[in-house]
Amino acid sequence: MRKSVFALFALASAFEASACGPEFPQNLLDDRAATLADLPQRGFAREAASLLPAPDRPFTANERADWIYTEAVTREQVERTWLGGAAEVAALARGRADAASAYAAATGLPEEARRYLAGAAAYERGAIGEALERFATVLELPVEERRHYGPWALHMQGRLLAAREPDRARAAFVQLRETVAAGAEDPLGLALDSYGAQARLLLDAGDVTGATRLYAQQAAQGSKFGWTSLLRVARRLVSDETALAAAARDPLLRQLVAVHLATRSDFFEGEDEAPELPDAALRFVDALEREKLDRVEGAGRLAALAYRSGRYELAARFVAMGEDGLAAWVRAKLALRAGDLDAATRAYAQAAREFPRDEPDPDGERVDTRRPGVDYCRVRGESGTLALARGEYVAALAHFLAANDWEDAAFVAERVLTVDELVAYVAQEAAHPSREEAARIGADLTPPLRALLARRLLRSERWDEALGHFDDATLRFKAQEYVDARRAALRGGRIERAQAWQQAAAIARVDGLELLGYEFAPDLAVWEGAYPNPYSFGYAAAGREVPSGSPVAHPPVLAIAAGPGDGERARVAASEARPDRRFHYRFVAADFAARAAELVPQRSQAYAALLCEAAGYVINDDGGLATGYWLRYVAHGAYLPWTGNFGHACEVPDFPAAAQRLRAERIAAVKRYVRKALPYAAAPVALVLVLGVLGWRRRVSRKANLAMVSTT
């Protein structure tokens, strides 16, 4: 089997990585205008693999090259499977000096093996004619007796005849594929490889279209060599003016060139042999326009190329010829340029229906749908971006979740939707923390969505609802402790309330990220708070850069306002963290500790300890606030020796001592009041006594006078 020198191309599928630090997933809301206006470049490998439909039963791929990072099955492994311990006999036969002795040495092996090994021995010694004869004898056996080595013999015939008799070689490759399709075993992937071998013969004969068709069939069945060969053909066509014009007239070559020019157009920058792709794209679009095509296969690809080249009228013509997902996607872009939001919404919906939700890449692996670059995910993400622009906030969340775009979905769920809207959505779409339910929204995003809602409800002091959405038992237990502490802080005596506030503060500080944290700014719970927020979600100026080498000289201009509207901005402001500081829950914890300090006697140890805790919670985030707590202690608290390391080394609050001191202070307060009030209270009492005495004496005197009068 041949090896390809195109190791470079294997790197094209990788995303750019940051030179230092983590590589954050893409998001779509940072630059909403660019998201809606620009048509992303698609991967050449995936596009090339879809030039022709794949058969229902594709051939086995077993390719080996420096840039293919998968284990290839070897001939030795296959023969050990087929022959068992007799595989050593086959190895000895290959080493014999001629075909006859090899055939004799293979005695005991199946006849197809003996004949093939004789041909292999002749080939190793350079006896090409005899090797061809020996390989032909394998094919003389009945079909059921050459199910293992028959494909190998045909493969060797094709290779050996390629330079001598190309027609016979092509026939051998065709027969090889027919034999494998009929049921012969092919663990080495020779049938799939034969497409490329036959295509090279056609290229040598000048049949570019025929070779391209074979390469496309090879790529459609998962061959990496197939798409790299298509890339070579495309580059050859693009580099020659006459060939480029001819490609515009050929249905298959037209698709291949369109795929090449509309994908990874910046990949070849700096390569001496590479043409100037933006110029080639414009020349090819001109050639397409000259053809005045009424109907074309793969109109969506041509529409995409015209759109990316800034030829919007031509793009609209091709869009009218196609109903595939890519054509619908371009139709949505053109509608946005025209300001027709309803038409754009319908076109996005059609594109989402046409694109597969779970498509394999050319390696046969599932596409990483965390990347919005996958067509279905990107289209749903753009639909969410458009829904935000239209004020359809719940619909926007549904689109982003379907796109597997957690970054933008979390922003909408946490900052744009009201709490009631999010509660209703989760109740309908993510009521159960199971993967089966998660499948309905396109990904396993049910658990993080429910966790986000639980934290938001807890921040909103909707405690019972919050507890019902913490699906992790450990977190639910911690949340229950937090809720109990918050409720206890609202009732009881001062010391009991202070203890409750102190407990709530400790929970908020230690477990605040999991219980109260925002998924993104300001807390970044999504990454356990480890990194600063890399996203603006459209609330900061984002410059638009045209990728180097892109055929688009100027990005398309939208006829709509894509940025956050007044309604969205009001919602985002209402859901802002209080305070809007990174690790805001630390400040919440500090506030709770300070509230506890207000409830205990200022001269108690607990007062100093609680303010010390408050300072410690924020000392690494806001030194000024921590200093404020220190100054409050200095102004009102009693001197304690341990406070020299205030905010860093705090004693545990002594609440029993604080309770005793509070009782003592209350008794002392009563005594002071009595002492102060006694002088003022004695005067009225004395006056009352004097008046009472005077009144009594007056009554006595009056009675005496009356007695004297009556005696007289």
Side-chain angles (χ1 to χ4, degrees):
M1 285 179 282
R2 69 185 180 91
K3 294 185 178 181
S4 174
V5 297
F6 289 95
L8 204 56
F9 303 134
L11 302 178
S13 61
F15 289 88
E16 291 186 7
S18 174
C20 52
E23 180 185 358
F24 297 106
Q26 300 176 29
N27 83 319
L28 301 179
L29 292 180
D30 275 7
D31 191 343
R32 305 184 190 192
T35 292
L36 293 176
D38 297 345
L39 189 65
Q41 286 181 309
R42 310 169 82 196
F44 180 86
R46 188 159 53 93
E47 284 294 288
S50 63
L51 282 174
L52 294 177
D56 294 334
R57 297 178 60 186
F59 292 127
T60 299
N62 184 54
E63 298 172 329
R64 184 185 298 113
D66 294 340
W67 52 275
I68 297 178
Y69 306 111
T70 55
E71 284 289 329
V73 177
T74 64
R75 181 189 66 193
E76 291 75 17
Q77 291 172 328
V78 172
E79 287 190 323
R80 281 197 296 272
T81 301
W82 286 347
L83 305 175
E88 296 181 5
V89 177
L92 292 173
R94 275 195 175 85
R96 291 307 177 98
D98 54 58
S101 59
Y103 183 81
T107 300
L109 297 181
E111 183 62 21
E112 63 170 329
R114 297 183 68 190
R115 296 185 183 191
Y116 178 81
L117 292 170
Y123 170 73
E124 291 294 335
R125 301 300 177 270
I128 304 302
E130 184 178 8
L132 285 169
E133 292 175 1
R134 293 283 185 169
F135 291 137
T137 65
V138 178
L139 304 176
E140 294 171 359
L141 293 170
V143 172
E144 63 273 9
E145 296 180 16
R146 52 181 171 89
R147 298 177 65 84
H148 291 155
Y149 287 92
W152 291 20
L154 288 166
H155 171 74
M156 292 303 297
Q157 277 190 337
R159 285 184 57 186
L160 297 178
L161 291 170
R164 302 180 177 196
E165 301 179 60
D167 290 339
R168 285 186 60 195
R170 285 195 291 270
F173 291 132
V174 172
Q175 186 181 356
L176 167 57
R177 294 194 291 275
E178 292 173 347
T179 299
V180 174
E185 296 190 27
D186 184 29
L188 294 183
L190 301 178
L192 190 59
D193 186 74
S194 71
Y195 285 110
Q198 184 179 347
R200 288 196 299 276
L201 297 175
L202 294 181
L203 277 181
D204 292 341
D207 186 358
V208 179
T209 300
T212 299
R213 185 167 299 278
L214 288 170
Y215 284 137
Q217 289 176 300
Q218 187 181 27
Q221 299 178 65
S223 170
K224 300 178 180 67
F225 292 150
W227 72 259
T228 54
S229 298
L230 286 170
L231 191 53
R232 295 180 67 181
V233 172
R235 293 180 65 182
R236 181 187 300 182
L237 293 172
V238 168
S239 64
D240 182 87
E241 189 73 31
T242 302
L244 189 64
R249 296 189 292 272
D250 184 283
L252 183 58
L253 298 183
R254 184 163 57 224
Q255 294 300 312
L256 175 60
V257 172
V259 166
H260 174 44
L261 295 177
T263 58
R264 295 202 199 110
S265 58
D266 59 339
F267 178 64
F268 303 101
E269 184 182 17
E271 294 186 27
D272 294 337
E273 72 276 21
E276 186 63 35
L277 290 184
D279 178 63
L282 294 176
R283 288 188 285 110
F284 184 62
V285 169
D286 288 339
L288 292 175
E289 199 157 20
R290 287 194 297 271
E291 292 300 315
K292 300 188 181 302
L293 301 168
D294 295 326
R295 181 176 178 79
V296 295
E297 292 295 327
R301 290 192 180 97
L302 301 179
L305 177 61
Y307 184 88
R308 286 183 51 78
S309 302
R311 306 291 285 275
Y312 303 117
E313 292 184 3
L314 183 60
R317 282 178 48 197
F318 285 131
V319 160
M321 301 178 193
E323 292 298 325
D324 61 300
L326 188 53
W329 196 357
V330 177
R331 185 180 297 115
K333 301 286 186 182
L334 294 172
L336 290 172
R337 290 191 73 253
D340 190 340
L341 300 185
D342 292 336
T345 300
R346 291 192 299 270
Y348 273 127
Q350 180 188 355
R353 289 192 299 270
E354 296 294 332
F355 285 128
R357 294 179 62 169
D358 188 10
E359 56 186 323
D361 67 11
D363 297 336
E365 300 294 334
R366 189 177 187 276
V367 169
D368 178 8
T369 51
R370 290 281 296 171
R371 302 286 186 178
V374 179
D375 293 334
Y376 173 82
C377 294
R378 174 71 188 219
V379 165
R380 290 302 299 268
E382 290 186 16
S383 298
T385 306
L386 178 58
L388 276 184
R390 303 188 70 173
E392 299 168 354
Y393 306 123
V394 176
L397 174 61
H399 283 303
F400 286 129
L401 287 171
N404 254 0
D405 180 3
W406 176 242
E407 290 70 35
D408 294 316
F411 170 76
V412 174
E414 191 161 55
R415 302 300 309 277
V416 180
L417 265 61
T418 66
V419 177
D420 288 335
E421 287 171 342
L422 184 56
V423 167
Y425 182 86
V426 170
Q428 179 176 347
E429 300 292 342
H432 305 288
S434 67
R435 291 181 179 273
E436 290 75 19
E437 290 293 324
R440 295 198 295 135
I441 56 174
D444 191 18
L445 297 181
T446 296
L449 182 63
R450 289 175 58 82
L452 181 152
L453 174 57
R455 297 195 303 271
R456 191 170 180 190
L457 287 168
L458 205 59
R459 292 195 301 267
S460 301
E461 299 185 357
R462 295 168 64 162
W463 295 325
D464 291 332
E465 292 176 89
L467 293 173
H469 288 85
F470 279 108
D471 300 320
D472 180 85
T474 301
L475 280 182
R476 187 165 57 250
F477 178 79
K478 293 178 179 179
Q480 183 68 65
E481 287 188 318
Y482 175 80
V483 170
D484 291 344
R486 289 294 311 275
R487 283 177 168 153
L490 302 178
R491 59 179 180 268
R494 286 175 53 183
I495 301 302
E496 289 78 10
R497 288 159 52 206
Q499 286 179 292
W501 279 120
Q502 192 257 355
Q503 183 183 5
I507 296 172
R509 177 59 184 88
V510 175
D511 299 306
L513 187 63
E514 294 81 7
L515 299 180
L516 302 168
Y518 278 71
E519 186 75 352
F520 286 96
D523 301 322
L524 275 295
V526 66
W527 295 309
E528 298 180 349
Y531 307 103
N533 181 35
Y535 304 123
S536 71
F537 296 108
Y539 285 80
R544 298 184 58 197
E545 296 183 1
V546 182
S548 174
S550 169
V552 182
H554 301 286
V557 177
L558 299 178
I560 67 167
D566 292 341
E568 180 188 333
R569 289 183 180 276
R571 287 167 169 253
V572 169
S575 62
E576 185 177 75
R578 304 286 193 275
D580 190 17
R581 302 284 301 274
R582 188 178 182 192
F583 305 132
H584 92 284
Y585 54 88
R586 297 180 181 177
F587 295 86
V588 171
D591 180 64
F592 288 175
R595 293 190 192 190
E598 293 173 359
L599 294 171
V600 300
Q602 292 181 337
R603 307 294 291 179
S604 68
Q605 178 269 358
Y607 181 78
L610 289 168
L611 287 178
C612 181
E613 287 183 357
Y617 291 156
V618 296
I619 199 166
N620 293 323
D621 302 292
D622 190 332
L625 181 58
T627 300
Y629 291 129
W630 158 254
L631 293 176
R632 188 187 305 182
Y633 158 67
V634 170
H636 304 290
Y639 169 75
L640 295 169
W642 58 265
T643 57
N645 201 14
F646 198 86
H648 293 285
C650 307
E651 286 191 354
V652 176
D654 188 346
F655 288 110
Q660 291 179 355
R661 187 175 187 89
L662 181 61
R663 285 193 296 271
E665 288 185 353
R666 284 174 174 172
I667 293 172
V670 171
K671 290 180 177 180
R672 285 196 302 272
Y673 175 78
V674 171
R675 285 197 299 269
K676 291 181 179 179
L678 187 59
Y680 302 101
V685 171
L687 179 60
V688 170
L689 290 174
V690 170
L691 292 176
V693 170
L694 292 176
W696 174 76
R697 292 181 64 183
R698 182 176 298 173
R699 286 195 299 274
V700 170
S701 176
R702 184 178 300 161
K703 287 181 180 180
N705 291 334
L706 289 174
M708 290 176 63
V709 170
S710 64
T711 302
T712 302

